[in-house]
Amino acid sequence: MAEQELNFSVSGKYAQYLNLWQKLGMILALSGTGIILITWGGVSLTNNAAWLTVVILSIFIGTVMFTYGTYAGKTAGIKNDGVYFRSHTARGAIGWAVGIVLTAFYVFLYWFPSYLGYQTGVNGTNEGLIALFDPLSYFFKGKPASQWFVYGSIYTLVIVSLGIKFIVKYRHNRYHIIRTISVMIAQLGLAYLVPEILAGMNYNDVSQGGEYLGWYDADLKNVWPLDYDFFYGWHLDAMQQKAYQPIGMIYLVWGILLFLIVTPIITYFVGKRWYCSWVCGCGGLAETAGDPYRHLSSKKLSAWKLERWLIHAVLVLVFLMTAVTLYGYFFNTGTFFGLEIYTYFQKPYGFVIGAIFSGIVGVGFYPLLGNRVWCRFGCPMAAYMGIIQRFKSRFRITTNGGQCISCGNCSTYCEQGIDVRAYAQKGQNIVRASCVGCGVCSAVCPRGVLKLENGPEEKRLGNEGPIVLGNDGFKIEK
Amino acid sequence: MSKVVIIGNGISGVTAARHIRKNSDKEILIISAETEHFYSRTALMYVFMGHMRYEDIKPYEDWFWEKNRIDLMFDYVSHVDTDNKMLEMKSGENVTYDALIIATGSKSNKFGWPGEDLNGVQGLYSYQDLQLLENNSRDTKRAVIVGGGLIGVEMAEMLATRKIDVTVLVREDVFWGNVLPKEEGEMISKHIRDDHHIDLRLNAELEEIIDNGNGRVKAVKTKDGEVIDCQLVGLTAGVSPNVEFLKTSKLEIDRGVVVNEFFETNIPDVYAIGDCAQFKETVNGRKNIEQVWYTGRIMGETVAQTICGNKMSYNPGPWFNSAKFFDIEYQTYGWVFNELKENQADYYWEHEKEKICLHLIWNKNTDEFIGINTFGIRLRHDLFDKWLKEKASIETVMTELRNANFDPEFYSHYEKDIVQGFNDSTGKEIRLKPQKWWRKLISA
Ligand SMILES: Cc1cc2nc3c(=O)[nH]c(=O)nc-3n(C[C@H](O)[C@H](O)[C@H](O)COP(=O)(O)OP(=O)(O)OC[C@H]3O[C@@H](n4cnc5c(N)ncnc54)[C@H](O)[C@@H]3O)c2cc1C
Ligand code: SF4
Ligand code: SF4
């Protein structure tokens, strides 16, 4: 069979020649990452403030230098040369290694923070990696860092650094520039700086020791059901506590409005992309750090079937879990029909969905399954908006008449695993619950076939007949 | 139950099969000697450049065929015996048919150049060509591409991604000059040469390809006598119908398989579609051999109707096409030729700094809109299809230009500038209409 014989230059001539800027950038960024790994390995540094500055600057500047080396000499345009020849982006050894390190990081983060140095020192002080971030935490709120603070800081650093890379890569496409700036601001400002500063103002109460009592995920855009513990008792209580007013109540009311009113309305007008590709932190990481892996999502029909089962199952679960939680809250009970709410509802959801699915599989498996595994198969917020987008929205991806040449770039680079080509080659528009409106299919299409747009719902599905525009021979009623 | 056999699993043959299946229960068999499954020829370049794998350029998953009861055979048809309605296969097997569709596509042109059969000299058409290119390009420092067309520019881009120096010999005085007007051709030539460092030689023709003594290319010589050392020669001076194997049959063959507007050949129950078909009389002002993707598709859609008892003639709508020259996308609607025809007027607009342009053609007596080329601007096919069918005036097109734009959201718009320039150069007074939902311009 001729099909199997082709052996393209995975190891041949295409071997990656890195130029000087790329090499320097990589060395710099990797040494910053190296310090993180060393401290993770248990080494405690003496001057954490200085080392942390080195880490942040080297990762940031290293990425920018690498970006410069990669794109500066090249014309603006689609830059997918060699994606399938690189070990890193083609599920080769480097891809696997990155996946394993990421996965391990999440395992430690969720279940073994002590291995990262969390409160392992004398009198519960931090060591190692967590201690490395102590100075920054003290700066914001006068407290030692927690593993979540470390995670949030690295997460933000990664989105900002690789966001710049993404912008440069797609500098010919203003849609990508604007939405990436939006995602970077949302992460840096709304998800990181605002909550940390608020925490600094509100909970500077060191006397309580350890973790402060408030809601550490006070991120205005982190909406239930993605933020599944929004309705947990401690969280509801915290928002109502006198000391935290008026901000607490504002967050509570906003959180409910955001889910019930704001989300459906905006999704009706522009599709779920306003959240998934413009605002969301998970989406932000996927679009920036995850961009090199977007083609790895499965386009098979079987994957789509699995997706529909899984994501809607998670949506049902989060509703159930939250309903039971609220029942417990309002009736002031810890059990539901004899079942302990924490043990039987909250804990399993947090463990399976919150930790394993969104963290370990969702991010850890980027280099293996693509960058939107969580967004596609698991996120209940995406499921909720997806239903609106599919059935009641003005958003669609318009297919440009008969211009499609079935090349497959769109499907390949769709991080959500949508077989865009299957629609485009029939002249149909793409109206799919899972589309996060990243706009990459439209960008990579070499024939100008796809356009994300909002318009009246009439004829939203595009061509309905079997004949594609260009054939005047006959019209067949569907 | 009658049996339809299709030779060729390209877009034409596969579209015919799909539509026959939609409309009937006939037995369907597709034969190909190229690949086991249908893949998108237009995407070969992306496999070579590492954007996609071979499996990504197959538009249907492998289970599709069985599910739709379309049988596949991986074999070469060496002779068509129309008297006995039988195909002789290279494997020795014989296959019978009730209806036969020939959809065998094209092959790369060779013009009898000395040395054209040397090792390291090749065209780019098939999957096997791609494999060959993979091998031929391994130790290549410089490649020479002969012919400046769409496949030529793709080949240049492909080789450039492997850090190979590329020389392109083009006969015309701008790139793709037998199709593009001078202005566009110059802009594209500049892009290829200045932005992508391709050694583009205009007004240059191949004289011969020189042997290194071991049956392998070592250089080419141009008509000017210049010798260019190279290890690979790409022949991309057009394609022609792949019909050699039919010359032993009773089918009428000229350049392609000769057919009427129903795709009927001189023999009953035998049809030909796609790149390999040659129309006795041209249809709707098009060429009598059409070698593009969507015409193959339309022919497949149409012949399927005939075979399913609903006799239908080929009737493509207004001409359109698209391509990409390295970073620059090109679209065209209606007819824009490299030179103005009688009674035609034109207006050309180019961006001051960037390589973005637009070229409009209309009838200077009647003001009827005739065609448009754009580079770096995407346009809406639906609107142009409608305007061309309605014979809309150039005024209509210019006034509604905003609605015709298909660029992604937030892109810069140039309509104001374009209309301004148009008014200045023609003395007309077009007032650009504000953008509205484009469908409102298409009556239901
Ligand atoms: C590199 C490249 C890029 C292109 N890009 C574009 C583009 O961007 N846009 C566009 O519109 N067009 C493009 N084209 C042209 C387009 O691909 C063709 O017009 C189209 O594929 C023709 O389809 P077809 O079905 O007629 O024939 P083909 O796709 O050629 O299919 C014919 C098949 O029949 C097989 N066959 C032939 N003889 C026999 C036999 N005797 N026995 C068994 N099998 C046989 C062949 O091996 C082949 O697999 C491109 C072509 C090439 C080569
Ligand atoms: S269909 Fe296009 S816009 Fe939607 S998720 Fe896929 S690539 Fe992004
Ligand atoms: S990328 Fe464009 S041309 Fe290629 S299959 Fe998708 S829509 Fe069609």
Side-chain angles (χ1 to χ4, degrees), chain A residues 397 410 413-416 418 420 430 435-441 452:
Chain A
I397 303 178
C410 52
Y413 287 90
C414 175
E415 53 193 357
Q416 288 291 79
I418 297 172
V420 183
I430 294 91
C435 170
V436 291
C438 65
V440 168
C441 54
L452 282 67

Side-chain angles (χ1 to χ4, degrees), chain A residues 405 447, chain B residues 7-13 31-35 41-42 44 75-78 103-106 124-125 151 154 242 245 273-276 290-294 296 321-323:
Chain A
I405 53 166
R447 295 294 177 270
Chain B
I7 314 180
N9 66 349
I11 179 69
S12 322
I31 304 172
S32 170
E34 186 181 3
T35 52
R41 192 172 302 294
T42 52
L44 279 176
D75 205 342
Y76 184 79
V77 178
S78 39
T104 51
S106 305
L124 175 64
Y125 189 82
I151 299 181
E154 287 188 3
N242 182 8
F245 76 104
I273 56 173
D275 276 27
C276 70
E290 291 192 284
Q291 298 157 325
V292 286
W293 186 259
Y294 76 86
N321 203 5
S322 54

Side-chain angles (χ1 to χ4, degrees), chain B residues 272-285:
Chain B
I273 56 173
D275 276 27
C276 70
Q278 175 183 350
F279 292 100
K280 263 183 248 173
E281 277 154 42
T282 61
V283 178
N284 300 356

